Amino acid sequence: MIQKFKRYQFLFEELVKRDFKKKYKRTVLGMTWSLLSPLLTLLVMRLVFTRFFGATMEHYTTYLFCGNLIFACFSESTGLGMTSLLENADIFSKVNVPKYLFLLSKNIQGLINFGLTLCVFFLFCVLDDITFTWKLILLLYPACCLILFNIGMGLILSALFMFFRDIQYLWSVFTQLLMYMSAIFYTIDHYSYAVQCLFLANPIYLFIRYFRKIVIDATIPTVWFHLLMLADVVIVLALGCWMYKKYNHKFLYYI
């Protein structure tokens, strides 16, 4: 697979450049929107939810930013990845190229935005009097898991979108539901133990909670928490790869 990727490296680089230019075409602020968008969302959420959920919570801005940072990365990457195959149908219908390249090029956009927003996030942590420790380096684990999870979901969604265009509307509703189920602006401490365990079935909540544990609480999650995150990533990524391999040739009939 690595040799095949090197073979099509030039195509991949051109896809990334094309998508990057297309996204910011005819915009005045350009890449600045990658920073302004999550910040404006954070501002709105803070104004709306602070009174109801964060009035007595310490470091509520950082708590809110953690949730918004992770969910925005997930939402953007999967949203772009879902249409990656159909948008590039003119290419792979004429030239035999690995179709996952189109998805990966879309995820590069999400990764760049995630990196830029992460820098702003650390700045907000300083302003919120968060004490940084050596444990901060452990954020590489949930960040890598999130990226791989987004790729896996992108593989699944883009394959389904080729066969069922309705998936785009269903996914929009599902992501909105998922946002409310990921404890972005509220805490689950007041729920019963059984309900709290149900939240652990949500992979996005796992990523968010890991970030909060490291940044706000300066504590390392348990081993089983790491394994649970890894299991979610492996399952989704394996399912996505299987779907691409199984339906690779059928994609052409549904353009």
Side-chain angles (χ1 to χ4, degrees):
M1 181 176 178
I2 296 178
Q3 292 181 346
K4 183 180 288 188
F5 184 81
K6 289 182 177 179
R7 180 182 175 186
Y8 295 99
Q9 182 177 351
F10 176 76
L11 173 61
F12 178 71
E13 292 175 352
E14 291 301 312
L15 287 173
V16 172
K17 293 178 183 177
R18 182 203 64 181
D19 293 338
F20 188 80
K21 293 177 180 178
K22 182 179 179 181
K23 181 177 181 179
Y24 299 109
K25 185 178 181 181
R26 300 186 186 282
T27 60
V28 177
L29 297 179
M31 280 190 63
T32 308
W33 281 115
S34 298
L35 298 175
L36 284 179
S37 181
L39 288 178
L40 291 175
T41 303
L42 175 66
L43 176 62
V44 171
M45 295 181 73
R46 177 170 172 76
L47 291 175
V48 173
F49 298 117
T50 297
R51 181 178 178 182
F52 301 100
F53 301 102
T56 60
M57 185 184 298
E58 190 178 9
H59 304 303
Y60 184 67
T61 300
T62 303
Y63 183 91
L64 193 61
F65 207 153
C66 279
N68 188 50
L69 173 69
I70 300 299
F71 188 81
C73 178
F74 169 77
S75 180
E76 180 182 23
S77 295
T78 54
L80 291 173
M82 179 168 50
T83 59
S84 60
L85 272 182
L86 191 62
E87 288 179 356
N88 294 279
D90 291 340
I91 298 178
F92 70 77
S93 62
K94 300 174 182 177
V95 184
N96 185 22
V97 296
K99 298 176 180 61
Y100 58 79
L101 290 180
F102 306 117
L103 172 69
L104 293 180
S105 68
K106 294 291 186 180
N107 274 267
I108 291 296
Q109 283 190 48
L111 182 58
I112 292 174
N113 292 341
F114 178 71
L116 292 173
T117 310
L118 191 61
C119 294
V120 179
F121 168 71
F122 288 135
L123 177 60
F124 267 74
C125 290
V126 173
L127 297 176
D128 201 22
D129 294 326
I130 296 292
T131 302
F132 293 143
T133 67
W134 65 268
K135 298 172 185 176
L136 209 63
I137 196 172
L138 295 178
L139 291 180
L140 287 173
Y141 180 76
C144 291
C145 286
L146 175 63
I147 293 168
L148 293 176
F149 185 82
N150 289 344
I151 292 175
M153 285 302 304
L155 291 170
I156 295 172
L157 290 171
S158 58
L160 290 175
F161 187 66
M162 290 297 295
F163 304 123
F164 311 104
R165 300 294 192 268
D166 296 351
I167 197 69
Q168 186 175 23
Y169 306 104
L170 293 174
W171 184 249
S172 176
V173 175
F174 178 76
T175 51
Q176 187 174 15
L177 175 64
L178 189 64
M179 181 187 71
Y180 291 110
M181 295 297 294
S182 298
I184 294 176
F185 49 84
Y186 61 90
T187 177
I188 66 170
D189 294 341
H190 61 281
Y191 290 118
S192 65
Y193 177 75
V195 174
Q196 291 184 32
C197 290
L198 288 177
F199 274 89
L200 299 180
N202 178 0
I204 305 304
Y205 173 74
L206 295 181
F207 301 137
I208 293 173
R209 181 169 179 175
Y210 198 113
F211 261 72
R212 288 169 174 167
K213 282 285 186 180
I214 295 294
V215 177
I216 300 176
D217 301 332
T219 59
I220 303 175
T222 59
V223 174
W224 75 266
F225 195 91
H226 286 78
L227 294 176
L228 184 59
M229 287 179 58
L230 184 61
D232 288 334
V233 173
V234 171
I235 291 172
V236 169
L237 198 57
L239 180 59
C241 292
W242 174 80
M243 291 182 69
Y244 258 56
K245 184 176 181 180
K246 181 177 177 62
Y247 300 108
N248 181 50
H249 299 293
K250 292 186 178 181
F251 290 149
L252 293 172
Y253 301 107
Y254 290 86
I255 297 175

